[in-house]
Amino acid sequence: MATLNVLQLTDLHVTPHSGELMLGIDTEAYFQQTLKHAVDRHGPFDLILLTGDLAQDPCADTYQRIYRHLSRYDTRCLCLPGNHDDFSLMQTQLNTGKISCDKQLVLGNWSILMLNSQRINSHIGVLDDDELDFLEQTLQSHINLPTLIAVHHHCIRSGSPWMDTMQIQNSAAFLALIQKYSQVKAVTCGHVHQAFSKQEAQIALFATPASCFQFTPHSSEFSIDETPPGYRIFQLYDDGQLQSEIFRLPITMTDLDRNAHEY
Ligand SMILES: [Fe+2]
């Protein structure tokens, strides 16, 4: 297979009812616009990754609406949970046809791993023993496949102290594990509602903007800013190299409720 064209969308925060506003904006409409912009400008995609916080207050209808928006594009999608999601409900509503909550996919010459960093009833991230066992076993059994790992929470500091209280608590163990496997090329996350990238040994670490509101970089407390929604695109090459770039909607965020103190 030739180069894989992969889209990452994250932190949709779709509300329980269509048209409902969150922090002043219609998160479902922004998700639709972000998805359409990505497909129109950079599609078709071989794969779409949805990396958590698909729902703000999870209910079956929210996941069904997300499913309908995604299924219009007839593209394979992998979904993982964020701190706001109900993973059991996600698995019942987003596991049909090309859309799934599968934890691993071999596509072309690449292995894609989808990790669950959710700690129930908490916004803090963790990779529990079962998740780390799954990760290590899968890496051992696909030693020759370049690997992209997706996970909701961040595993290195974002630079925003309030946000960094929620990063993966056992990040050191996670990073030590993946650095043993030279086929791991990149880890990409959501959660921080902003973009960053950093290289750690052979591994590129990425964070991706939300498809709704963004958090203010380097803020010491909860703060949203007027940066537009965005998404990340990966080009995964057969030889294990990759390129990644962020794109944003060409809009001005004029309706944000910037007086909000939490989300
Ligand atoms: Fe989020």
Side-chain angles (χ1 to χ4, degrees):
M1 185 180 276
T3 302
L4 298 173
N5 190 27
V6 178
L7 168 65
Q8 182 190 3
L9 289 172
T10 195
D11 295 85
L12 289 46
H13 289 272
V14 173
T15 50
H17 306 289
S18 271
E20 213 172 327
L21 302 186
M22 180 181 174
L23 304 185
I25 65 165
D26 183 337
T27 52
E28 184 176 356
Y30 277 101
F31 163 53
Q32 289 177 267
Q33 281 184 53
T34 307
L35 177 58
K36 183 174 187 313
H37 187 273
V39 174
D40 288 351
R41 302 292 177 97
H42 307 285
F45 295 105
D46 299 295
L47 178 66
I48 299 174
L49 305 176
L50 291 109
T51 52
D53 285 358
L54 279 60
Q56 171 61 19
D57 297 303
C59 65
D61 190 63
T62 296
Y63 291 124
Q64 279 298 310
R65 279 154 38 225
I66 292 168
Y67 180 88
R68 285 198 294 274
H69 297 316
L70 290 171
S71 53
R72 286 195 194 112
Y73 295 94
D74 195 30
T75 300
R76 190 153 198 170
C77 300
L78 293 178
C79 308
L80 60 75
N83 44 301
H84 286 271
D85 288 305
D86 179 332
F87 194 34
S88 298
L89 195 55
M90 269 178 74
Q91 288 172 297
T92 62
Q93 304 297 320
L94 292 172
N95 248 335
T96 307
K98 290 186 171 177
I99 300 170
S100 82
C101 298
D102 290 351
K103 293 180 67 64
Q104 197 220 359
L105 174 67
V106 174
L107 192 61
N109 196 36
W110 280 75
S111 173
I112 313 293
L113 299 184
M114 306 291 281
L115 300 182
N116 178 359
S117 58
Q118 185 184 51
R119 174 181 280 176
I120 302 299
N121 298 322
S122 172
H123 292 308
I124 293 171
V126 69
L127 292 166
D128 66 22
D129 290 347
D130 287 348
E131 206 65 16
L132 291 178
D133 287 348
F134 160 78
L135 174 61
E136 181 133 42
Q137 283 170 21
T138 311
L139 291 173
Q140 281 173 354
S141 58
H142 295 84
I143 207 93
N144 295 318
L145 292 184
T147 299
L148 169 64
I149 296 171
V151 61
H152 181 66
H153 294 81
H154 50 310
C155 62
I156 56 169
R157 287 201 185 104
S158 69
S160 293
W162 74 277
M163 177 53 69
D164 291 340
T165 62
M166 295 182 273
Q167 79 173 73
I168 294 172
Q169 297 295 287
N170 54 340
S171 288
F174 170 61
L175 289 168
L177 192 163
I178 60 177
Q179 284 171 7
K180 291 193 301 181
Y181 294 89
S182 62
Q183 78 265 34
V184 178
K185 304 302 180 188
V187 177
T188 193
C189 72
H191 189 60
V192 293
H193 291 227
Q194 60 195 278
F196 68 68
S197 64
K198 189 182 176 211
Q199 192 77 22
E200 286 264 337
Q202 87 278 12
I203 303 169
L205 304 175
F206 297 111
T208 297
S211 68
C212 57
F213 48 85
Q214 313 303 310
F215 296 141
T216 308
H218 308 297
S219 176
S220 58
E221 57 193 18
F222 175 84
S223 170
I224 53 175
D225 73 15
E226 293 171 2
T227 308
Y231 53 90
R232 183 177 287 282
I233 289 181
F234 293 94
Q235 300 287 314
L236 306 180
Y237 301 108
D238 268 356
D239 65 359
Q241 297 195 60
L242 65 82
Q243 286 189 330
S244 179
E245 200 170 344
I246 292 289
F247 297 91
R248 293 185 187 270
L249 295 188
I251 59 172
T252 306
M253 301 290 282
T254 53
D255 298 326
L256 281 170
D257 176 10
R258 299 194 62 186
N259 296 318
H261 296 293
E262 59 182 10
Y263 76 115

